[in-house]
Amino acid sequence: MVKARKIVLVRHFEGQPRTEDFRIEEEDLPPVKDGQILAEAVYFSVDPFQKSHTAMHHVGDTFYGAQEDRSTLLLVQLSCVSAAVRWCNAEAYPQVARIVESRAPGFPVGRHVVAYWGWRDRTVADVGSGRPQPPLYVLPPRLVPHLGDLPLSLSLGVLGMPGNSAYFPLLDICKPKPGEVVAVTGAAGAVGSIVGQIARIKGCTVIGFAGSDAKVKWLKEELGFHHAFNYKKTDVSTALKQAAPDGVDVYFDNVGGDMSTKVMSNMRYRGRIVVIGAISQYNDLEHQKLVNLPFTFLAQQLRLEGCAVARYHDRWEEGISQLTKWVREGKIKYRETVTKGFENTPRAFIGMLRGENFGKAVVKL
């Protein structure tokens, strides 16, 4: 009998998560059936958006794997904005895992998959139809392409969901043009750091906001951002008037909250805004609030759209292929914050929410 370790939720968070909110458990795995694989995790991803999904957990759930149908709970919760966000953007924690047993054609032993199984070190799972399934529309397991000399962990970062979360919303929704000004918050994170570099490749002036002087230095000196500011030291509106006196054409919003209100107040006529995250509000105990800028949106004729990257399931390889090309050409640089050890996963998650990571945060098992 094969055993698996998993990290489960002990209690719901009260504000910032704590290590004592989690515990490690063991379970016996069933035999592998036709259409299934047994895989062993190599890397876990830790990402800010999962903090917003805690209400979908039951105490004792694996944190955070694709759970059974939560539709009844979620329909009740749809009375508030934050629950609606969770419903539209539900994702589970991705991991990279090596296939050690397979009864599924196309998934040979020894290959690696990216799958949304949460914080568990072994999993028996269907590889399924290859399409997202309701109620949570979690992406199905995908084979990791042959990366050559590139790190396997990149399939959780620049060559995975964060990469496509930057690529498609920026290019497909915002459509930046050469000479335009692109502002991105959470700019030193896994998504924001890629957004700024793609915008630079497209000939835009790039403005980034991050939470430390070290991150600002990294954005400007290594990633090629034209302007970068520490929002803890510099007022966002003042910074934008300095760096973009005529206004911002494209705003890529990773953080929400007051910072986003200030950026949106400095948009140019017919500006485009895409919202893919709200990390500044994930620890709020009260419900999130919509921005209070109706006149600005009317006068400037702004367009705002939220985006869950799962909508681009059918174009997934398009994004990964282009991002891989840019990485190999040196046009996109990346940085990873790696925590070692299965038992240290909650600590990595908490540190990421505090902004301790540069680029993508992962756990190496």
Side-chain angles (χ1 to χ4, degrees):
M1 183 71 69
V2 177
K3 290 188 178 292
R5 292 181 298 168
K6 59 183 181 179
I7 298 174
V8 303
L9 184 70
V10 174
R11 59 190 175 195
H12 290 289
F13 308 143
E14 296 181 0
Q16 186 83 323
R18 295 176 295 179
T19 54
E20 54 264 37
D21 294 332
F22 307 92
R23 70 167 174 259
I24 297 175
E25 294 184 353
E26 282 193 351
E27 68 177 8
D28 293 327
L29 295 180
V32 178
K33 299 178 181 178
D34 289 341
Q36 293 184 330
I37 59 173
L38 167 63
E40 294 183 346
V42 181
Y43 287 96
F44 287 157
S45 176
V46 289
D47 299 283
F49 66 83
Q50 285 102 351
K51 173 62 175 66
S52 69
H53 299 154
T54 308
M56 290 194 297
H57 286 60
H58 291 162
V59 169
D61 280 347
T62 304
F63 197 89
Y64 170 66
Q67 304 295 335
E68 65 271 18
D69 191 342
R70 297 285 193 261
S71 56
T72 302
L73 170 64
L74 289 170
L75 286 172
V76 172
Q77 292 176 326
L78 283 174
S79 58
C80 71
V81 173
S82 58
V85 171
R86 295 184 191 109
W87 173 258
C88 295
N89 194 28
E91 301 276 2
Y93 270 127
Q95 60 172 255
V96 175
R98 184 174 62 87
I99 301 171
V100 295
E101 183 179 348
S102 176
R103 296 182 62 178
F107 287 81
V109 170
R111 286 293 300 272
H112 291 87
V113 294
V114 173
Y116 294 77
W117 296 326
W119 292 348
R120 49 184 305 116
D121 65 354
R122 293 183 180 87
T123 305
V124 172
D126 273 310
V127 292
S129 64
R131 298 189 61 82
Q133 299 295 316
L136 297 184
Y137 297 95
V138 172
L139 293 168
R142 290 176 178 270
L143 287 176
V144 175
H146 296 288
L147 298 179
D149 58 348
L150 294 175
L152 184 64
S153 55
L154 294 192
S155 56
L156 295 176
V158 62
L159 305 184
M161 183 182 64
N164 275 347
S165 293
Y167 181 87
F168 287 112
L170 179 65
L171 299 183
D172 197 61
I173 295 174
C174 294
K175 296 180 170 60
K177 304 176 183 64
E180 290 191 323
V181 176
V182 175
V184 55
T185 47
V191 176
S193 60
I194 302 168
V195 170
Q197 293 181 85
I198 296 174
R200 187 203 65 226
I201 290 169
K202 295 299 179 180
C204 299
T205 296
V206 184
I207 304 170
F209 291 93
S212 74
D213 291 341
K215 290 180 178 181
V216 165
K217 182 178 180 181
W218 178 57
L219 294 175
K220 293 172 68 175
E221 296 184 2
E222 295 188 41
L223 302 192
F225 281 57
H226 299 90
H227 307 277
F229 300 93
N230 181 346
Y231 67 86
K232 296 179 181 178
K233 292 183 175 181
T234 305
D235 176 73
V236 171
S237 294
T238 302
L240 289 173
K241 286 179 171 58
Q242 170 190 328
D246 295 325
V248 172
D249 297 287
V250 170
Y251 173 36
F252 199 102
D253 185 6
N254 284 300
V255 306
D258 292 339
M259 190 186 310
S260 288
T261 300
K262 291 180 179 181
V263 177
M264 292 177 195
S265 297
N266 286 275
M267 298 292 292
R268 190 178 287 179
Y269 178 71
R270 301 293 295 272
R272 291 89 69 199
I273 304 158
V274 65
V275 178
I276 75 152
I279 191 171
S280 71
Q281 296 172 284
Y282 291 161
N283 287 319
D284 286 354
L285 298 179
E286 298 180 358
H287 296 323
Q288 298 174 25
K289 298 178 181 179
L290 294 174
V291 293
N292 187 27
L293 294 169
F295 182 75
T296 299
F297 273 76
L298 174 61
Q300 297 294 82
Q301 297 191 41
L302 305 180
R303 179 164 62 88
L304 183 150
E305 183 171 341
C307 180
V309 72
R311 77 160 80 167
Y312 292 103
H313 164 77
D314 292 334
R315 296 173 59 189
W316 200 261
E317 301 309 324
E318 171 193 333
I320 300 304
S321 176
Q322 180 59 73
L323 289 162
T324 302
K325 182 174 184 293
W326 281 333
V327 168
R328 291 194 180 282
E329 292 173 345
K331 293 180 178 179
I332 287 184
K333 299 179 181 179
Y334 62 87
R335 188 165 171 179
E336 296 179 301
T337 299
V338 181
T339 301
K340 295 183 178 180
F342 176 86
E343 68 282 358
N344 291 321
T345 303
R347 181 171 61 81
F349 172 64
I350 293 165
M352 176 272 306
L353 288 174
R354 292 174 177 166
E356 296 173 2
N357 60 300
F358 277 71
K360 183 72 187 76
V362 297
V363 177
K364 183 176 182 179
L365 275 66

